[in-house]
């Protein structure tokens, strides 16, 4: 069944959590009105990214039962929403998390397991595997940003039946490769070797001197980029919607040739020997 | 230490094993004369690829103690050679193998563990992990073609200290992605997430109606393509040498940011949980 995937790449503002939450909910409402089945918001969309201190991160953190997720649910229509937020956990711990929400409410929270660079100062790494959830348009898995650079994670989600991997990201600006953010090249390869679609929702706008790739992309299970931020028109405030339609049933077919299959051709007994406890 | 890597993309001819062997040895001699430290030949360089029958493959197969490897050794100079051949194993078994040869002789043979499509009709899959060997310019690992599409394999070689992965390939022609063979996109991502260089030596020339990507590439540990066949001049017979220099010491540094490291940031305990016996 064809899924309409929307990545809403906007500019969260550190220190303005109420405004960020309003903008997230507005983005969900707009995407739902435009017919989205899957809506992605950036990593840490409710808080911004460049915290000056742990206290600042803590002040922007939300518990998983915060009313904003009820607002997303009310705005979601038929869509499933995957959006990043700064999570207030037990014992004062903070997590870089993603909420999965549909009209029925909060379905699950995933806590980023691979923390990038200075995130290690603020956040506790998640200790649970990423979720895989059925939606009306197919099964989705969730990762956050740097997680995508660990092929073990994308492989796990593919083996768990994910047809689309939805990843809120905040990619710091840097040199492109072949005109693409390097993170997109990594996602293209992960999509192709696993025959899963991947959607990455980046943020826009500089924050405290940090610039971003602004590189949201929706990638087919073949590895082709179906839609990329650089081809999407910008609103007056620099926000963009990167949207693509794809029949996610394609991701159920792992055949590469009459006698080749991306997953069935794996050699798990060799991998155990190779990677064992690694 | 800077390594000069040469991929010699030529046209093996099925049914002409003596000619193929001569051309392999000539390619090694030429690359050595041109200063190569690492020389790659295509997959099944001594036999050609498109066998009409198992008997034809068997007739072209060489045992690992065949004199041709001594010829490569005599021609290698300071270089280490990684070249594909059709291997005659015990009990009449055939393997799609790569020989690693230097001036001292045959160092090892790797048997392709992930067989592509019709190869399954002719070959027995290898049952051993790919080799990792020290050379004067750094530690190299060996894969063959479709093996590269299994991130478990590239990860294993990186964790084993490989600084360059040398891969003889025969990539059937197909649509490109972003102007690259899709297999190159996969190798670019594997290089970047593991911070290893990757050299892929493809073949040229149609064979029994099968066309090839002719997409040899040398890829840096950043994922950037340093040299690609489409930018290398063709000889009169369509052969090309794809060459690049790279300090392989770069591949020993896995840091991505002051507090991020491509290998140290892995979460093996999660991967065990995720992939277990898979």
């Amino acid at each position: 069944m064809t899924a309409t995937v929307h990545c809403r790449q906007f500019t969260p503002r550190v220190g303005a959590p109420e405004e960020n939450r309003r903008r997230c909910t507005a983005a969900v409402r707009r995407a739902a009105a435009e017919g989205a089945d899957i809506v992605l918001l950036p990593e840490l969309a409710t808080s911004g990214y460049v915290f000056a201190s742990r206290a600042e991160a803590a002040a922007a953190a939300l518990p998983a039962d915060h009313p904003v997720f009820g607002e997303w649910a009310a705005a979601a229509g038929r869509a499933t929403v995957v959006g990043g937020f700064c999570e207030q956990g037990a014992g004062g711990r903070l997590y870089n998390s993603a909420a999965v929400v549909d009209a029925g409410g909060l379905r699950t929270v995933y806590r980023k397991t691979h923390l990038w660079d200075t995130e290690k100062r603020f956040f506790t790494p998640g200790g649970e595997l990423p979720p895989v959830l059925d939606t009306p348009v197919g099964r989705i898995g969730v990762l956050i940003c740097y997680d995508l650079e660990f092929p073990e994670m994308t492989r796990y989600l593919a083996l768990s039946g994910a047809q689309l991997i939805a990843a809120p990201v905040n990619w710091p600006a840097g040199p492109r490769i072949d005109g693409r953010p390097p993170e997109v090249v990594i996602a293209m390869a992960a999509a192709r070797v696993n025959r899963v679609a991947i959607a990455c929702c980046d943020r826009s706008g500089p924050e405290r001197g940090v610039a971003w790739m602004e590189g949201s992309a929706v990638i087919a299970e073949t590895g082709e980029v179906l839609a990329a931020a650089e081809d999407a028109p910008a609103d007056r405030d620099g926000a963009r919607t990167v949207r693509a339609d794809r029949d996610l049933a394609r991701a159920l077919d792992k055949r590469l040739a009459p006698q080749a299959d991306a997953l069935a051709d794996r050699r798990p007994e060799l991998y155990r020997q190779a990677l064992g406890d690694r």
Side-chain angles (χ1 to χ4, degrees), chain A:
Chain A
M1 186 177 172
T2 297
T4 297
V5 180
H6 281 219
C7 298
R8 182 64 180 167
Q9 176 178 292
F10 72 97
T11 308
R13 288 209 306 127
V14 80
E18 280 184 46
E19 178 194 330
N20 294 331
R21 293 197 296 269
R22 263 200 312 277
R23 297 190 65 194
C24 288
T25 304
V28 171
R29 188 173 298 114
R30 173 174 160 169
E34 291 173 356
D37 297 296
I38 306 284
V39 180
L40 277 79
L41 303 174
E43 182 179 7
L44 295 174
T46 61
S47 62
Y49 186 94
V50 188
F51 301 119
S53 66
R54 196 179 179 288
E56 191 178 51
L62 311 176
D65 61 0
H66 190 277
V68 72
F69 302 117
E71 292 166 24
W72 297 6
R78 69 165 193 240
T80 301
V81 181
V82 181
F85 74 107
C86 179
E87 185 189 358
Q88 186 187 95
R93 284 187 290 276
L94 303 179
Y95 299 93
N96 181 338
S97 296
V100 182
V101 173
D102 64 16
L106 182 72
R107 292 193 59 187
T108 193
V109 169
Y110 166 64
R111 294 168 168 173
K112 186 177 186 178
T113 49
H114 299 83
L115 296 176
W116 171 256
D117 200 35
T118 54
E119 293 171 24
K120 294 169 183 170
R121 291 167 48 199
F122 307 126
F123 296 113
T124 300
E128 304 284 334
L129 290 172
V132 179
L133 304 100
D134 288 313
T135 78
V137 290
R139 186 171 284 196
I140 67 168
V142 178
L143 294 175
I144 301 175
C145 204
Y146 188 36
D147 286 331
L148 278 170
E149 302 188 25
F150 296 84
E152 294 88 349
M153 301 299 275
T154 42
R155 185 63 110 193
Y156 163 69
L157 289 175
L159 288 170
S160 301
Q163 295 160 254
L164 170 76
I165 296 174
V169 309
N170 277 187
W171 290 329
R176 290 178 171 240
I177 295 182
D178 283 0
R180 302 277 183 203
E183 297 88 347
V184 169
V185 175
I186 291 168
M188 290 163 67
R192 188 172 178 93
V193 301
N194 289 297
R195 292 278 146 170
V196 294
I198 301 183
C200 306
C201 185
D202 199 3
R203 60 165 288 164
S204 57
E207 189 174 68
R208 291 182 171 162
V210 176
W212 310 91
M213 278 289 184
E214 308 196 8
S216 300
V218 182
I219 300 163
E221 77 293 338
T222 57
E224 290 160 291
V225 176
L226 298 173
E230 47 270 35
D231 303 318
D235 296 344
R236 269 186 310 179
D237 62 358
R240 296 167 202 262
T241 300
V242 178
R243 69 190 84 193
D245 295 330
R246 192 71 169 177
D247 183 351
L248 298 182
R250 291 166 174 263
L252 297 174
D253 181 2
K254 307 298 183 185
R255 275 176 308 177
L256 304 170
Q259 298 174 68
D261 182 294
L263 296 189
D265 286 337
R266 295 175 70 245
R267 301 283 307 272
E269 77 291 0
L270 278 182
Y271 310 151
R272 272 196 298 282
Q273 205 181 317
L275 298 168
D277 286 346
R278 305 193 292 190

